[in-house]
Amino acid sequence: MSHIVIVLQEDFQLLTSALNTDNHFLALSEDEKSKIKNKLANAQQVSAADFPNNVSRLYDIITLRNIKTRQNVQFKLVPPAERDSWSGKISALSPLGIALLGVVKGQSISWQSGNKKNYYTVMEVSNAVFI
């Protein structure tokens, strides 16, 4: 079941402006780029004053549990220019990043990595201090 993704207006503006300039995004397959663009295009933009504090946005730390291995992993959702996979900073314009944008605790997500599909449950969304 698909749900409407809620995105902070400022995050939406930053990410849509990066669609044509981020080299990592531009290097994705046409199918991956299309999925990311569609998710952004269909997202409901919300102002900072009205943004729910349980929904993930840029700079949030999201804890996921792998459904198969039951291991937890943490990622920080960041703008494309701040990505750093070694420290767990995932670009919101990556297949994993766009899957994490707008999630809430308890939600199940999946994303394709090569020819392998990964399934996770969102265990926690730690909101950034500033918004």
Side-chain angles (χ1 to χ4, degrees):
M1 181 170 92
S2 181
H3 72 284
I4 294 177
V5 175
I6 298 172
V7 177
L8 189 65
Q9 286 173 337
E10 292 85 350
D11 292 355
F12 179 85
Q13 292 165 354
L14 188 150
L15 294 174
T16 53
S17 68
L19 287 173
N20 296 319
T21 59
D22 180 59
N23 290 331
H24 290 276
F25 173 76
L26 295 172
L28 294 173
S29 71
E30 290 302 318
D31 185 49
E32 289 172 319
K33 288 191 281 192
S34 177
K35 287 177 184 175
I36 291 170
K37 287 179 180 179
N38 285 339
K39 186 165 181 179
L40 281 175
N42 293 318
Q44 177 185 349
Q45 296 179 53
V46 178
S47 70
D50 295 327
F51 198 85
N53 65 0
N54 66 330
V55 176
S56 68
R57 58 185 183 265
L58 287 180
Y59 299 105
D60 284 352
I61 297 173
I62 299 127
T63 304
L64 303 175
R65 175 167 288 161
N66 184 308
I67 293 173
K68 189 180 279 188
T69 66
R70 303 198 43 80
Q71 292 182 321
N72 287 359
V73 292
Q74 279 190 335
F75 297 104
K76 184 173 186 177
L77 196 58
V78 297
E82 297 178 33
R83 83 170 43 79
D84 180 3
S85 56
W86 289 104
S87 62
K89 294 179 180 178
I90 303 296
S91 167
L93 291 184
S94 67
L96 172 56
I98 201 69
L100 296 178
L101 190 65
V103 298
V104 295
K105 181 179 178 178
Q107 185 176 336
S108 294
I109 64 164
S110 65
W111 82 92
Q112 194 79 22
S113 176
N115 59 358
K116 181 181 176 190
K117 194 150 190 169
N118 301 286
Y119 298 92
Y120 288 85
T121 299
V122 178
M123 302 303 290
E124 186 177 357
V125 175
S126 301
N127 291 131
V129 177
F130 60 92
I131 177 164

